[in-house]
Amino acid sequence: MSTTLADLVAQLDAFRDATLAQLAVADSLDALEAVRASSVGRTRGALNDYKAQLPKLAGADKPTFGARFNAVKVELEAAIDARHAALSASAPAAAALDLSMPARRQWRGAKHPVTIVLEEIEGIFRDLGFTIATGPEAEHEWYNFGALNFPPDHPAMDMHDTLYLERGGLLRTHTSPVQIRTLQSYPPPIRIIAPGNVFRRDFFDASHAPMFAQIEGMAVDEGISFVDLKATLANFANRFFGETKTRFRPSFFPFTEPSAEMDVACRICNGAGCATCKQTGWVEILGCGMMHPAVLESAGVDSQKYSGWAFGMGPARMALQRFGIPDIRIQYDSDIAFLEQFAQ
Ligand code: DAH
């Protein structure tokens, strides 16, 4: 090795450049350690060889080279430290990144079938000129029964198997009280539907739940007849289910006279008979009737001048039919596998 100062400095600089280049491509902590050991390493480091040349230089050149040597050493050690820090920071992330891993599944929210049905029913009746009304779930007994022409101790009240509240009042057993509240607030002509939850102590089976949604409907005006009722509800059924057969059976409700129940041909068996329609081929979807004059009068409406019809239906049952769901209880289970089928 040459011993002139210029040569030695040139060699030292070349070594420095080569080492910096090796550091730049050292892509792991192991590779970095190899570069460190072979450059500034105490036993095997090549930098030691340059120090060993020092005694061969002329006396005046020694401090010049010594300063240069120290500067290179400090520079290389700093570069090694920086590279070490950079590789340590990225090393765990690099290890955790598995490009073959399946992408995380994107969950899409879905509306509950009862919500889908509710919104559709609301849309159809809105098209037919009805507006939406609401009333409280905790209700006075009078609105739930008395005003609706239930005589005190009428067996129909047992039928509802009411949840009474400790401090008086009850949880409404149907949405029919909204008829009274609406008539008290607005003068006829009135066409409303009133969606809401209702509560009964019914046992829980394939078609009964203790809390469920209902939709009440009511039309009050001069000269309203059963023809309006039948035409409107049959029209609704055709819009909701697509062309469908409907039938009206005589029934009884204290608040309507005459009263009826409307059936549609069972969608699950197409009228052939199955467990859902109890082998009849028909499914009841609503109760309806001409509003009893006593109901109009209890809400302050002149029953000589006005008449009206009303209906009440259960969207959970409508959803069974609409989507071919065999058991109403599935709708209350929050089962993701069931619910996500309704994502639109
Ligand atoms: N309120 C009745 C029930 O819960 C349903 C009903 C039947 C409502 C006939 C009506 C109606 O408005 O006219 O069983």
Side-chain angles (χ1 to χ4, degrees), residues 160 173-174 176 179 200 214 216-217 253 255-256 287-289 310-312:
H160 284 94
T173 59
H174 52 181
S176 302
Q179 292 184 20
R200 294 186 194 171
Q214 255 193 356
E216 192 76 14
F253 302 103
F255 34 90
T256 46
C288 58
F311 69 86

Side-chain angles (χ1 to χ4, degrees), residues 84-198:
H84 191 277
L87 287 172
S88 310
S90 63
L97 181 66
D98 176 358
L99 294 176
S100 68
M101 218 161 99
R104 196 186 271 188
R105 180 169 164 185
Q106 297 287 313
W107 288 92
R108 289 178 72 209
K111 283 181 184 166
H112 193 278
V114 171
T115 304
I116 297 173
V117 162
L118 264 170
E119 289 179 355
E120 263 186 51
I121 295 171
E122 287 175 14
I124 292 170
F125 278 101
R126 238 187 259 135
D127 284 353
L128 295 173
F130 286 67
T131 52
I132 299 201
T134 55
E137 293 179 351
E139 189 52 284
H140 297 285
E141 207 171 329
W142 183 78
Y143 280 102
N144 197 79
F145 294 123
L148 290 163
N149 199 36
F150 284 76
D153 302 324
H154 189 282
M157 285 167 72
D158 292 343
M159 183 178 90
H160 284 94
D161 216 359
T162 307
L163 287 156
Y164 287 91
L165 298 171
E166 271 175 15
R167 283 191 238 157
L170 44 75
L171 293 179
R172 66 179 178 191
T173 59
H174 52 181
T175 43
S176 302
V178 184
Q179 292 184 20
I180 308 298
R181 290 184 172 276
T182 305
L183 290 171
Q184 285 180 333
S185 308
Y186 305 99
I190 291 177
R191 279 190 201 83
I192 55 119
I193 58 164
N197 289 327
V198 303

Side-chain angles (χ1 to χ4, degrees), residues 7 17 20 36 85 95 101 107 126 143 186 228 238 319 341:
D7 282 350
D17 291 348
L20 288 176
R36 190 199 64 78
M101 218 161 99
W107 288 92
R126 238 187 259 135
Y143 280 102
Y186 305 99
D228 300 298
N238 283 325
Q341 297 174 48

